[in-house]
Amino acid sequence: MLNGKPFSTEQEIRNEVDRQAAAGVDYIKVYAKSDPNQTAVAIDEAHKRGLKVIGHLQNTDWPTAAAEGIDFVAHAVSWSASALPPGKRAAYQAEQNSVGPIKARIFWLESVDVNGPEIGAVIASLKQHHISDDPTLIAYKTKFVPSEEYRGKQNVSLAPAAMQQSWEDGGLTADWTPSDFARMSRAWPRMLQIVDRYYREGVLLTTGSDLPNEWVVPGVSLHQEMELLSQAGIPNEAVLAMATRNAALALGLEKEIGTVETGKCADLVVLRANPLNDIHNAEQIQYVFSAGRLVMSGTPSH
């Protein structure tokens, strides 16, 4: 986007990447409406400027972006038609045209074959090109499967007031009916199963929460993300690695951070209870050290 309008030429994309590079950004992010050609141009220009590219993709599917050299993908799925069985793709396109891209995600999740070759192709492309994925399950769960746990006062009150106010209109699912939410709730386990398949087949996964999505509370949401990854069937030890070692590997900072080793940054969280036994114990924070200095002592009130 440029001044609120979609890019219309390749040069506009290159100019925008150059502008952001000159401003000192760390990464370039390509979004859902970017088509394969636009995505390829953005990746090419970013790499020329020494910047890595993150993809929040839909019009460009993950295998295509992987072949073009994208460095990371975000979110558990791309919602691309190509990730569905061929017999479901036309109906999915019709659903998007009928109810819009957000509500059509219900149909997508109902239609996806978790163990099918289409998801297998996505996984193969990520592994072949050494691309990490940040599933952000919490950003989906808060919107698509509403509950008191996420939308209730106890959770929402932990967010800054401006964020709370921005969530009052119901966000991206404000037009959903009880039937829509019920359908998505029934389909939701498929999302967890897809992420579990990523893990079992060796995709490098990290943890993140996709702020400032609706009802995604800073800080707390990272713990909620870890809990959802555990619910997906991923061992707690692996979930903890996603939040530490895997994140460092994805960013190319594994020599500096991510594990407790001599010579690395002494950024440490000391817990009161063992998160290997219960991932919720990651919230039982006793001490936080930054660069070897104690910056917090005590257990958060939440």
Side-chain angles (χ1 to χ4, degrees):
M1 302 288 286
L2 180 64
N3 298 323
K5 298 180 180 180
F7 294 113
S8 58
T9 68
E10 174 181 323
Q11 192 58 50
E12 286 181 349
I13 296 172
R14 294 187 183 278
N15 290 346
E16 178 61 20
V17 172
D18 291 345
R19 185 188 70 80
Q20 294 195 31
V25 302
D26 296 307
Y27 302 94
I28 297 294
K29 190 169 185 179
V30 181
Y31 271 87
K33 293 183 179 181
S34 179
D35 66 33
N37 181 64
Q38 292 170 325
T39 299
V41 170
I43 293 170
D44 178 66
E45 191 64 24
H47 286 176
K48 286 180 179 177
R49 300 298 298 261
L51 291 170
K52 292 186 176 182
V53 182
I54 304 167
H56 171 154
L57 301 172
Q58 183 167 340
N59 288 352
T60 304
D61 63 32
W62 287 4
T64 298
E68 293 293 346
I70 205 161
D71 301 285
F72 319 91
V73 291
H75 316 305
V77 295
S78 67
W79 309 110
S80 294
S82 62
L84 296 178
K88 297 289 187 178
R89 295 173 189 174
Y92 175 53
Q93 184 61 59
E95 188 78 359
Q96 288 182 298
N97 294 338
S98 173
V99 301
I102 301 301
K103 193 175 289 190
R105 292 178 179 184
I106 304 171
F107 180 88
W108 190 98
L109 202 56
E110 291 172 333
S111 302
V112 69
D113 182 354
V114 172
N115 297 307
E118 297 79 22
I119 295 298
V122 169
I123 291 170
S125 70
L126 297 182
K127 291 173 62 179
Q128 177 186 352
H129 297 278
H130 308 288
I131 297 168
S132 67
D133 175 42
D134 173 13
T136 66
L137 290 169
I138 187 62
Y140 293 134
K141 187 73 182 288
T142 57
K143 288 195 289 287
F144 297 158
V145 189
S147 69
E148 183 69 14
E149 178 182 4
Y150 303 121
R151 298 195 184 189
K153 182 178 180 180
Q154 182 175 0
N155 191 59
V156 171
S157 65
L158 299 171
M163 291 185 73
Q164 295 182 44
Q165 186 175 3
S166 71
W167 301 338
E168 290 176 356
D169 66 358
L172 294 176
T173 55
D175 66 336
W176 284 28
T177 67
S179 176
D180 294 329
F181 284 115
R183 284 176 58 201
M184 182 57 96
S185 182
R186 289 191 295 270
W188 173 254
R190 291 171 175 242
M191 183 77 78
L192 301 183
Q193 291 161 10
I194 290 171
V195 175
D196 182 48
R197 184 179 177 188
Y198 292 165
Y199 164 73
R200 288 185 286 105
E201 297 192 18
V203 175
L204 183 65
L205 299 177
T206 61
T207 58
S209 56
D210 201 25
L211 290 169
N213 266 277
E214 299 96 320
W215 307 287
V216 176
V217 177
V220 179
S221 56
L222 179 60
H223 292 281
Q224 294 168 336
E225 177 71 8
M226 293 168 67
E227 291 160 12
L228 288 170
L229 290 165
S230 181
Q231 289 175 24
I234 299 172
N236 291 344
E237 181 178 5
V239 173
L240 293 170
M242 292 172 192
T244 53
R245 182 192 63 205
N246 288 15
L249 287 169
L251 295 172
L253 298 175
E254 66 274 15
K255 293 182 179 180
E256 304 170 37
I257 59 174
T259 55
V260 180
E261 297 180 59
T262 301
K264 291 191 175 183
C265 295
D267 296 338
L268 305 169
V269 176
V270 180
L271 305 176
R272 294 179 183 271
N274 189 348
L276 297 180
N277 298 334
D278 184 340
I279 200 65
H280 291 83
N281 288 339
E283 297 183 59
Q284 301 302 312
I285 299 171
Q286 178 66 60
Y287 303 112
V288 175
F289 293 87
S290 177
R293 183 173 61 88
L294 180 66
V295 294
M296 194 202 85
S297 177
T299 302
S301 59
H302 70 275

